[in-house]
Amino acid sequence: MPAPSKAAPSQADAIVLFGATGDLSRRMLLPSLYFLDADGFLPAGVRIMGTARADLSRDAFLHTVREALDERAETIDEAVWARFSARLDYVHADATSAEGVAALAPALDGATAPLFFLAISPSLYIKVACALGAAGLATPGSRIVLEKPIGRDLETSRGINASLSEVFDESQVFRIDHYLGKETVQNLIALRFANTLFEPLWNSLSIDHVQITVAETEGVGARWPYYDEYGALRDMLQNHMLQLLCLVAMEPPADMEPDSVRNEKVKVLRSLRRFRRADAAEKSVRGQYTPGVVVGKEAASYESERGQKSGAETFVALRADIDNWRWAGVPFFLRTGKRMPEKRTQIAIQFKPVPHSIFGQASSDDLVANKLVIDLQPDEDIKLTLMNKAPGLTKGGMRLQSMPLSLSLLSTYEGPGSRRRIAYERLLVDALHGDATLFVRRDEVEEAWRWVDGVADAWTEAGLAPKPYAAGSWGPSGAFALIERFGRDWSD
């Protein structure tokens, strides 16, 4: 665990959005800030300054922001827009140099605790952080928010973190994973640690296995230069999926203080069994999509999108094992891919069957083990499958049926008719107030990369190339053989 660091101020007084004209800002960040203002979560006096290389006037920037809000919100409250737009400013600057960053200083005059959000390519993180330091804008009260992935492997991640540490204290660095801002992910924490019902069963004595699926219908498209370098392993599994695994598997923290929660997640990452060359073929599958049909539409292959052959994987399935007392012998099956038949992010906790059935043969055939399913997208829900008596009269004894019980109901939202919040809203509020609980600490990032590097190295040593799979399918046939090899099936 890192040494305790000086705490950042409780509230930021300005937001500087680097990459303000980019896709992430337009689709997620600016709408999130508008909604926070509308709901009273954006502190009074907090200014929002967009900056990018695009040479825009303030009025032109406001126009692009309004367009982004029109695309995202059903209606725009003009009173809220007037208040929100008054907060906005724009500065054209090249943020990779101290001279460029210095252009931001006049607009930040009087701000003692600015929040710098880097909605830019990770390749620019070091340059921008160093420029902020050289320009004198990285004050003790400032904080910086970075999108994951941080680096491409352990070595590059350490390099970025080392450069950040020369400018910002660890308490000032907020590494964001938007999955942690989802209501249902946070509900998982409440489900486990606010109820005596589940925690005594949350171990290898009661749980047979765990599945985590992140499936996307879209392809890589124009993002192929990034994807060709990272692939599905580094793009999705290293951050989003391992974070979900940590929340499922971690021990109860002493409290909800940031370091208490993150300490337990680091312990899980350190307990992950390292991949060996022999594990590559037995416990993992790589895939790359070929032409097919997705959601009723023809889809091109990854290689045609890229323009030439590629060894990058667009699909990964693997078995992970956690070597500690709670989870010894419980396999964690992870799969993620592009051009899947449906969009789905899901955690499935499969409990063990009852040790002995007291029912007749016919009813015993109906008997299925309990399952807890946490859906994150496209819909957010938590369902528990229970067994109950099938209604009606039957011959030959009681008949059984499974019954999915929703544990979310309206708890995922804030009341009937409420808008489903963007995950970034929760994280922006926390970053503004200096709460790092749902952000990723440096040692978390590096432990995740250490394990993922081991998987990549095992693939290289074993010469494991991606297998083709048709767009619109659930990946190569080896993905089904992988889980069947261990006596399980993928969750529906």
Side-chain angles (χ1 to χ4, degrees):
M1 172 182 166
S5 52
K6 183 180 178 181
S10 59
Q11 182 176 301
D13 55 10
I15 300 170
V16 182
L17 184 55
F18 293 90
T21 59
D23 184 63
L24 177 62
S25 296
R26 182 183 181 90
R27 290 188 305 107
M28 297 293 180
L29 302 180
L30 290 165
S32 293
L33 290 168
Y34 167 81
F35 290 133
L36 290 177
D37 199 347
D39 294 338
F41 288 105
L42 205 57
V46 170
R47 293 168 285 163
I48 302 170
M49 183 175 66
T51 183
R53 293 183 178 181
D55 191 1
L56 298 177
S57 66
R58 179 177 182 273
D59 287 343
F61 178 63
L62 292 184
H63 179 72
T64 64
V65 174
R66 181 61 188 247
E67 285 184 335
L69 298 182
D70 287 336
E71 292 173 4
R72 188 78 196 209
E74 292 185 6
T75 58
I76 301 293
D77 185 317
E78 293 302 329
V80 175
W81 167 247
R83 182 175 67 240
F84 180 67
S85 60
R87 299 178 185 267
L88 297 174
D89 199 357
Y90 182 83
V91 176
H92 160 233
D94 177 2
T96 61
S97 68
E99 295 77 14
V101 167
L104 309 179
L108 286 174
D109 185 41
T112 60
L115 184 152
F116 303 112
F117 197 117
L118 273 56
I120 56 179
S121 169
S123 64
L124 301 176
Y125 287 167
I126 294 177
K127 290 182 179 180
V128 173
C130 292
L132 287 168
L137 297 183
T139 63
S142 64
R143 59 198 65 159
I144 187 167
V145 181
L146 305 95
E147 284 279 336
K148 294 177 67 186
I150 310 295
R152 185 186 178 276
D153 50 27
L154 179 59
E155 181 181 358
T156 55
S157 177
R158 281 176 168 169
I160 292 173
N161 285 324
S163 296
L164 286 172
S165 68
E166 294 178 1
V167 183
F168 295 94
D169 185 83
E170 177 64 22
S171 66
Q172 298 173 274
V173 181
F174 290 72
R175 300 171 187 86
I176 199 168
D177 186 331
H178 72 271
Y179 272 44
L180 300 185
K182 292 181 177 291
E183 286 283 352
T184 313
V185 172
Q186 295 166 62
N187 260 339
L188 173 59
I189 299 175
L191 188 77
R192 286 194 59 189
F193 304 128
N195 300 285
T196 58
L197 177 63
F198 290 106
E199 189 57 25
L201 305 177
W202 212 262
N203 54 52
S204 61
L205 299 178
S206 300
I207 293 177
D208 178 79
H209 72 279
V210 177
Q211 295 182 27
I212 301 176
T213 295
V214 179
E216 300 175 294
T217 54
E218 67 268 21
V220 174
R223 293 180 67 226
W224 72 259
Y226 164 83
Y227 221 81
D228 218 50
E229 181 181 2
Y230 280 75
L233 178 70
R234 293 180 170 91
D235 178 54
M236 292 297 296
L237 194 140
Q238 183 273 336
N239 48 74
H240 302 320
M241 301 189 77
L242 286 187
Q243 282 296 312
L244 297 179
L245 180 147
C246 286
L247 292 176
V248 171
M250 72 182 187
E251 295 296 319
D255 49 44
M256 281 297 290
E257 290 298 311
D259 278 341
S260 297
V261 174
R262 298 190 293 183
N263 287 345
E264 298 305 331
K265 290 197 290 179
V266 169
K267 290 178 185 177
V268 174
L269 293 170
R270 288 176 177 167
S271 299
L272 281 171
R273 187 181 303 167
R274 306 304 178 196
F275 253 64
R276 310 289 184 194
R277 175 177 177 173
D279 297 322
E282 182 183 10
K283 295 184 178 181
S284 69
V285 175
R286 301 176 73 197
Q288 186 183 106
Y289 61 82
T290 58
V293 177
V294 182
V295 196
K297 297 181 179 179
E298 291 187 3
S301 68
Y302 174 69
E303 288 187 348
S304 66
E305 291 174 339
R306 189 190 184 286
Q308 64 185 70
K309 290 186 177 297
S310 169
E313 78 280 349
T314 60
F315 176 93
V316 176
L318 57 78
R319 168 178 172 160
D321 292 270
I322 301 173
D323 291 331
N324 61 22
W325 278 31
R326 182 184 290 264
W327 297 110
V330 177
F332 283 68
F333 296 102
L334 282 59
R335 63 173 172 172
T336 182
K338 298 284 190 181
R339 291 296 190 203
M340 299 280 98
E342 64 182 67
K343 184 180 183 68
R344 183 200 303 179
T345 300
Q346 182 184 86
I347 304 169
I349 315 294
Q350 180 65 66
F351 289 89
K352 292 181 177 179
V354 294
H356 171 69
S357 174
I358 65 172
F359 306 98
Q361 183 59 48
S363 294
S364 295
D365 291 341
D366 297 330
L367 191 62
V368 296
N370 303 130
K371 181 191 291 186
L372 181 67
V373 176
I374 300 120
D375 287 314
L376 303 180
Q377 61 182 18
D379 299 314
E380 297 188 44
D381 193 15
I382 301 177
K383 298 187 293 290
L384 177 63
T385 300
L386 302 172
M387 295 303 301
N388 72 327
K389 176 189 175 296
L393 299 175
T394 58
K395 293 182 180 180
M398 182 186 299
R399 293 302 301 266
L400 303 175
Q401 68 178 12
S402 61
M403 177 181 67
L405 174 66
S406 174
L407 302 182
S408 291
L409 299 178
L410 294 175
S411 65
T412 302
Y413 314 107
E414 298 183 3
S418 294
R419 172 185 61 83
R420 182 178 300 176
R421 290 195 178 277
I422 304 171
Y424 280 94
E425 294 178 53
R426 167 79 272 163
L427 299 171
L428 282 166
V429 167
D430 288 352
L432 282 167
H433 291 88
D435 184 348
T437 304
L438 297 177
F439 294 83
V440 184
R441 202 169 60 194
R442 174 176 178 170
D443 53 343
E444 273 187 82
V445 174
E446 294 181 0
E447 286 297 335
W449 274 126
R450 192 189 313 276
W451 189 76
V452 165
D453 281 356
V455 176
D457 290 345
W459 286 351
T460 300
E461 292 173 12
L464 190 69
K467 299 293 185 183
Y469 67 94
S473 70
W474 280 106
S477 59
F480 296 94
L482 165 71
I483 196 167
E484 290 168 1
R485 188 177 302 127
F486 300 104
R488 280 85 170 184
D489 297 298
W490 291 111
S491 178
D492 294 330

